[in-house]
C-alpha cells in the first residue's frame, strides 16, 4: 500500500485535471452568465493543482460567483488551469487575457483588479507577501496552508491576521480537516471531555514520495527550484511544514489549540538522498510536551514502499480516541464509547476518499462565501497560525538535534526566504546536520 500524496490528492479531487470534480458544478451552464451588482468576483493567485481545485470549489460555493482574474509565476500553469476551469464552468470563468498575470510580481497586478475574494495557493514561501498585500487591498481571503516557512515570515502572517480581523475581512485557512464534519463531531466530543484530560497522543503522516519535474535547458536555477518547490525548505518549509502539518493541526485541535512548551526529536535523509530532492528531510520523529504534562508523539515520512499511516490517537483519563484519515474511523472507546455512525467504512482507501474526503474542501468555500453573503465574515485567525509554529519548532528540533521551545521558534531570526527574488536568484541552504546546525 503506497499511500502517496499524489494518490491522496487525486482521490480527493484536487488535481488540475481531476475527473472527480467534473459534473459536480451546479452553476456551469454555458451562456447563462452575466455580471450584476451582487456578483462576487474571485481572483486566483497560484494556479497549480491545489489552486485550480480551490477555484472550482469557490465557483461551486455560490450561484453568483465568477472567476475574474488569475496570477501565477508560470504562464503554462496559468493556461492549463484556465482551460480546465473554462471547460468545467463555462461563463462563470470571466477571465479575459487582460486579467491573466504572469511573473513573480503578478499577484500585485491581480490585487489591483476589481475582485472581492482572493484565493492564495502559491508555494508557501510567498504566503507572507501575498497575505499581507491581500489584506492591505481589503479583499476577502482563502489562504492555503502553510502560511510561512520560517519565524520571521510567520510573525508577518500573525500581524496580517490581526489586520484582517480589524478590517472585518473573511479569512478561511486551508486546514481542510477542520471543515470535515466527522472530525468536527469527534474533536468536539474530545474537547467536551468525553475521554477526560489528555495524557498522551500520537499523530502520524507516513506516506510515499512526491512528484518531480525534470530540469529543462532553458530554466535558470531559480526556475528549476521553484518548479520543484517541495524539495527546498526555503520554499516549502520541508515536508513537516508543507504536508504533515495537517496531522499537527489535528493534534492542536484536540489539545484545545494550546501550544506545547517544547519539542525534542530527530529526522534526516535516509532514502531520498539524490541531489534532485533538494535539501529537505524524508522523515521526522518528535516529542512535544504540553503545559498539562501531556506528551505527544509525532512521526512523518515520505518514503515509497513503506507502511502508510495518517492518524491521530489520543489517550485520556476516561478513554481513547482514534481518528484515521485513511480508513475513515472516528472512534471513542472507554467510559463514554462512541463511533461516528454516518461514515461508511471501506476496505479500499481510495473508495473511502472518493466517497467522503472531497466534501471538506467544498465545505471550506461554502462557509467562506456564506459568511460574506451574511455580512459576518468568517475568520480563522485565532487558531490558524498555531499549527504552523508547532511544525516549525519541530523542524528546528530535528535539524539541530536540540530541544526547542515554542518561544524560541516564534522569535527565531532565521530567515529562509530572501527579501527579494528574481529569475536569476541563487539561493542555497545546506542540508541540516543535527549537532552541527544551530538554532538561530
Amino acid at each position: 500500500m503506497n499511500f502517496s500524496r499524489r494518490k491522496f490528492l487525486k482521490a480527493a479531487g484536487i488535481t488540475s485535471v481531476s475527473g472527480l470534480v467534473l459534473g459536480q458544478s451546479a452553476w456551469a451552464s454555458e451562456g447563462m452568465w452575466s455580471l450584476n451588482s451582487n456578483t462576487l468576483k474571485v481572483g486566483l493567485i497560484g494556479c497549480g493543482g491545489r489552486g485550480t481545485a480551490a477555484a472550482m470549489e469557490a465557483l461551486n460555493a455560490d450561484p453568483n460567483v465568477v472567476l475574474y482574474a488569475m496570477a501565477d509565476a508560470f504562464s503554462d500553469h496559468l493556461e492549463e488551469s484556465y482551460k480546465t476551469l473554462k471547460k468545467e464552468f463555462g461563463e462563470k470563468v470571466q477571465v479575459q487575457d487582460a486579467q491573466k498575470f504572469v511573473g513573480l510580481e503578478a499577484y500585485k497586478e491581480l490585487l489591483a483588479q476589481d475582485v472581492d475574494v482572493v484565493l492564495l495557493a502559491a508555494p508557501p514561501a510567498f504566503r507572507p507577501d501575498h497575505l499581507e498585500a491581500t489584506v492591505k487591498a481589503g479583499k476577502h481571503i482563502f489562504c492555503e496552508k502553510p502560511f510561512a516557512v520560517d519565524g520571521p515570515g510567520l510573525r508577518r502572517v500573525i500581524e496580517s491576521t490581526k489586520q484582517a480581523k480589524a478590517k472585518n475581512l473573511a479569512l478561511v485557512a486551508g486546514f481542510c480537516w477542520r471543515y470535515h464534519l466527522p472530525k468536527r463531531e469527534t474533536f468536539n466530543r474530545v474537547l467536551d471531555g468525553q475521554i477526560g484530560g489528555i495524557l498522551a497522543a500520537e499523530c502520524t503522516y507516513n506516506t510515499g514520495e512526491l512528484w518531480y519535474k525534470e530540469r529543462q535547458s532553458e530554466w535558470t536555477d531559480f526556475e528549476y527550484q521553484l518548479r520543484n518547490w517541495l524539495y527546498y525548505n526555503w520554499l516549502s518549509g520541508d515536508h513537516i511544514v508543507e504536508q504533515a502539518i495537517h496531522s499537527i493541526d489535528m493534534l492542536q485541535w484536540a489539545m484545545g489549540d494550546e501550544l506545547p512548551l517544547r519539542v525534542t526529536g530527530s529526522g534526516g535523509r535516509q532514502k531520498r538522498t539524490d541531489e534532485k530532492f533538494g535539501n529537505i528531510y524524508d522523515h521526522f520523529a518528535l516529542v512535544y510536551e504540553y503545559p498539562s504534562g501531556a506528551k505527544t508523539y509525532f512521526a512523518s515520512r515520505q518514503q515509497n514502499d513503506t507502511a502508510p499511516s495518517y492518524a491521530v490517537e489520543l489517550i485520556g483519563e476516561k478513554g481513547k480516541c482514534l481518528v484515521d484519515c485513511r480508513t475513515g474511523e472516528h472512534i471513542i472507546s472507554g467510559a463514554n464509547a462512541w463511533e461516528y455512525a454516518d461514515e461508511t467504512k471501506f476496505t479500499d482507501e481510495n473508495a473511502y476518499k472518493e466517497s467522503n474526503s472531497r466534501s471538506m474542501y467544498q465545505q471550506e468555500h461554502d462557509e467562506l462565501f456564506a459568511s460574506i453573503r451574511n455580512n459576518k465574515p468568517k475568520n480563522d485567525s485565532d487558531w490558524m497560525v498555531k499549527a504552523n509554529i508547532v511544525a516549525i519548532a519541530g523542524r528546528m528540533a530535528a535539524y539541530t538535534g536540540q530541544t526547542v521551545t515554542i518561544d524560541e521558534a516564534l522569535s527565531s531570526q532565521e530567515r529562509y526566504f530572501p527579501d527579494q527574488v528574481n529569475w536569476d536568484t541563487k539561493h542555497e541552504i545546506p542540508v541540516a546536520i543535527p549537532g552541527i546546525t544551530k538554532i538561530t
Side-chain angles (χ1 to χ4, degrees):
M1 294 174 64
N2 178 16
F3 180 51
S4 69
R5 179 176 186 269
R6 189 170 184 86
K7 181 189 291 185
F8 173 78
L9 295 181
K10 183 177 181 181
I14 60 172
T15 59
S16 61
V17 294
S18 172
L20 293 176
V21 179
L22 299 181
Q24 298 300 313
S25 56
W27 325 109
S29 298
E30 186 75 30
M32 56 80 71
W33 196 260
S34 62
L35 297 178
N36 56 68
S37 60
N38 291 320
T39 301
L40 290 173
K41 299 177 183 177
V42 174
L44 172 61
I45 298 175
C47 301
R50 180 77 278 269
T52 302
M56 289 179 172
E57 290 138 11
L59 292 172
N60 268 326
D62 187 282
N64 201 357
V65 169
V66 298
L67 183 63
Y68 191 75
M70 302 173 73
D72 196 276
F74 303 116
S75 60
D76 57 322
H77 284 181
L78 191 153
E79 289 302 328
E80 180 184 357
S81 178
Y82 172 78
K83 290 175 183 177
T84 299
L85 293 166
K86 187 68 174 177
K87 179 179 179 181
E88 170 64 7
F89 289 91
E91 291 302 306
K92 286 202 78 173
V93 178
Q94 295 271 314
V95 185
Q96 306 300 315
D97 287 345
Q99 279 106 35
K100 296 177 180 178
F101 306 104
V102 174
L104 300 176
E105 301 290 305
Y107 73 99
K108 295 179 180 178
E109 297 177 277
L110 183 143
L111 292 174
Q113 302 300 302
D114 181 25
V115 294
D116 305 292
V117 184
V118 176
L119 315 177
L120 300 181
F126 296 92
R127 202 86 74 234
D129 281 339
H130 292 179
L131 182 59
E132 189 174 78
T134 306
V135 171
K136 184 176 181 180
K139 315 294 187 182
H140 299 294
I141 302 162
F142 172 76
C143 187
E144 189 51 80
K145 60 78 199 165
F147 316 110
V149 300
D150 53 29
L154 192 60
R155 291 193 292 273
R156 290 176 60 196
V157 168
I158 291 170
E159 184 57 35
S160 293
T161 64
K162 294 177 182 177
Q163 293 300 317
K165 186 172 287 189
K167 289 186 172 186
N168 201 31
L169 297 175
L171 174 55
V172 166
F175 282 125
C176 51
W177 293 121
R178 297 262 184 164
Y179 290 83
H180 189 231
L181 301 185
K183 287 174 182 56
R184 282 183 172 177
E185 174 71 16
T186 306
F187 286 123
N188 283 343
R189 288 174 177 270
V190 170
L191 294 170
D192 285 342
Q194 195 157 325
I195 66 170
I198 295 174
L199 304 173
E202 179 189 37
C203 68
T204 55
Y205 202 132
N206 295 331
T207 183
E209 297 170 14
L210 310 178
W211 50 262
Y212 169 76
K213 297 181 180 179
E214 294 289 345
R215 182 158 188 167
Q216 304 301 306
S217 59
E218 66 272 18
W219 293 354
T220 64
D221 289 346
F222 179 74
E223 179 169 354
Y224 168 73
Q225 292 184 353
L226 185 55
R227 287 187 180 272
N228 287 284
W229 60 270
L230 293 168
Y231 303 115
Y232 298 90
N233 59 19
W234 61 280
L235 290 167
S236 69
D238 209 316
H239 82 264
I240 186 176
V241 175
E242 190 277 323
Q243 182 188 63
I245 195 170
H246 278 302
S247 294
I248 289 174
D249 182 60
M250 284 191 288
L251 174 64
Q252 280 298 112
W253 190 3
M255 299 299 291
D257 287 307
E258 181 179 38
L259 289 169
L261 295 174
R262 63 187 68 87
V263 55
T264 306
S266 62
R269 292 161 65 92
Q270 185 177 41
K271 182 178 182 183
R272 198 170 51 186
T273 58
D274 193 282
E275 184 179 346
K276 72 179 185 180
F277 295 121
N279 67 348
I280 67 169
Y281 281 8
D282 61 13
H283 66 279
F284 290 87
L286 304 164
V287 180
Y288 290 96
E289 301 175 54
Y290 282 80
S292 66
K295 287 188 176 182
T296 64
Y297 302 86
F298 166 87
S300 68
R301 68 180 172 211
Q302 291 179 341
Q303 296 174 343
N304 284 344
D305 303 317
T306 58
S309 179
Y310 187 5
V312 175
E313 186 165 7
L314 310 166
I315 300 174
E317 297 165 328
K318 301 178 183 178
K320 297 193 296 184
C321 175
L322 172 65
V323 171
D324 194 316
C325 299
R326 294 177 54 253
T327 65
E329 292 176 287
H330 300 78
I331 301 172
I332 289 175
S333 58
N336 300 301
W338 169 88
E339 183 174 357
Y340 191 83
D342 295 333
E343 194 81 345
T344 303
K345 295 299 186 296
F346 293 91
T347 56
D348 178 75
E349 66 192 36
N350 288 330
Y352 166 71
K353 288 180 173 58
E354 289 183 22
S355 178
N356 294 281
S357 290
R358 248 186 65 246
S359 63
M360 62 188 176
Y361 299 103
Q362 190 59 57
Q363 187 73 22
E364 291 175 309
H365 292 267
D366 290 350
E367 294 187 22
L368 168 62
F369 283 90
S371 77
I372 296 169
R373 290 293 188 198
N374 294 331
N375 198 28
K376 295 180 180 179
K378 183 176 179 58
N379 194 299
D380 292 337
S381 296
D382 291 340
W383 54 263
M384 60 179 273
V385 298
K386 291 183 178 179
N388 209 146
I389 194 58
V390 172
I392 287 174
R395 183 190 67 207
M396 291 172 64
Y399 276 12
T400 63
Q402 308 301 320
T403 296
V404 175
T405 68
I406 291 297
D407 288 342
E408 285 176 319
L410 189 54
S411 62
S412 170
Q413 298 303 309
E414 186 172 34
R415 187 183 300 276
Y416 277 22
F417 192 61
D419 288 333
Q420 299 290 331
V421 293
N422 58 53
W423 295 113
D424 294 318
T425 293
K426 293 184 180 295
H427 186 57
E428 299 289 342
I429 297 177
V431 176
I433 303 175
I436 296 177
T437 300
K438 303 299 182 183
I439 297 173
T440 59

